[in-house]
Every structure is written in C-alpha cells, then in structure tokens.
Amino acid sequence: SCASNPSTPAALTQQWRLTIAETADWAELGRDEDETTAAFSPIVLARADNGTDTGLAFHRNWGDGSGLCQRVDVALGAGAPSYLQLRRYRGTDASPSSGLSDIRMQTGASDDDHARLFFAANAAVTAGDEITIAVVGTPNSACADPRTPGPVTVE
C-alpha cells in the first residue's frame, strides 16, 4: 500500500568513515631513571633546605615522527607520603609544582618537559623505611589522537 502513496519516502542509506586505531605503548627510554645513584640519609634529608632528587624520572617519548599527542598529566597515586613531591623539568631546569598537568614530553626538543620524584625540603624520613608509591601518567585532555597511550601507573 505504501508504493501507491506518492509521499512515501525513497530508500535511505547512511554511511560514515570509521578509523580503527591501536593505542600506543609507553616505553622506558634513555631519559628515564628507575633507581637512585646514591644512598640517602634521613639526617641529611631532614636538614636539606631544598628538594632532593630521588633519581626517578618520568618521561614519554615519541621518536617516530607520528605527531601523537605529547602532552601528559602526571600525579602521585593515593597514599603517597607528604615528604614526596613531583617536579616538572624543562630541559635541565626544575620547578616545583603541586599539579603537573600538560607536561610536554617530546624527543629532542630544547624545551621538552619531564617529571622527577623528589624528597621535599626537610623531609622527615625514618631510617630503614621502604616506600611504595605510584606515579600515574594520563594523556592530557587536549589529546584527541586515538593512538595516544592510555593511562599508565608506575609503582
């Protein structure tokens, strides 16, 4: 009965482009460090007027020229002791920051950033303590490329 009605709509076809992408992996690279270069004394840390680098550096590197998003938010996981802090590095210069958002991590750029874990000034650390902390890296909200790595937690 619809065929005899002149106002019946013609067939409708919808189509759209679909991009299937695979999330990139995080990788440990030359600028990352996962251990300290020396022992730390609680007495020395308690007397330090400035932060003391623990030796842990956090950096995400895209060296393949893909143009993937290089902007990362880095935070300490829940339960981190108050005497630990993250610092943003630009090149070789450190600046303290409580919220490390939008860190630009790019291969070879003179102004690229990375994050380092520090003992805060006058850190009250007990001798013999073992500390388990989590450092969480998340793509910045500005990252829209589907190949951008998902969040990663380093503990």
Side-chain angles (χ1 to χ4, degrees):
S1 62
C2 290
S4 63
N5 187 340
S7 62
T8 299
L12 173 66
T13 300
Q14 291 184 328
Q15 62 183 11
W16 58 91
R17 295 178 188 271
L18 179 65
T19 301
I20 300 173
E22 188 171 309
T23 303
D25 293 326
W26 291 79
E28 183 177 332
L29 297 166
R31 249 200 174 155
D32 300 332
E33 299 171 41
D34 59 4
E35 60 186 37
T36 61
T37 55
F40 294 103
S41 160
I43 296 171
V44 173
L45 290 174
R47 293 178 179 165
D49 294 331
N50 298 305
T52 304
D53 194 339
T54 67
L56 178 69
F58 189 85
H59 187 85
R60 176 63 172 101
N61 187 327
W62 285 269
D64 59 3
S66 64
L68 292 177
C69 186
Q70 299 161 334
R71 299 161 69 176
V72 181
D73 299 341
V74 181
L76 290 177
S82 59
Y83 53 76
L84 291 176
Q85 61 185 207
L86 286 168
R87 289 197 178 189
R88 176 192 308 259
Y89 265 70
R90 171 151 290 176
T92 57
D93 300 322
S95 61
S97 178
S98 56
L100 297 182
S101 64
D102 203 14
I103 297 176
R104 180 175 163 225
M105 298 183 176
Q106 181 177 345
T107 306
S110 60
D111 62 345
D112 71 341
D113 299 332
H114 57 284
R116 286 192 182 176
L117 186 65
F118 268 66
F119 288 106
N122 305 313
V125 183
T126 305
D129 274 0
E130 275 194 21
I131 309 161
T132 300
I133 58 153
V135 179
V136 183
T138 309
N140 185 265
S141 60
C143 297
D145 192 306
R147 296 169 298 166
T148 296
V152 65
T153 300
V154 180
E155 189 172 276

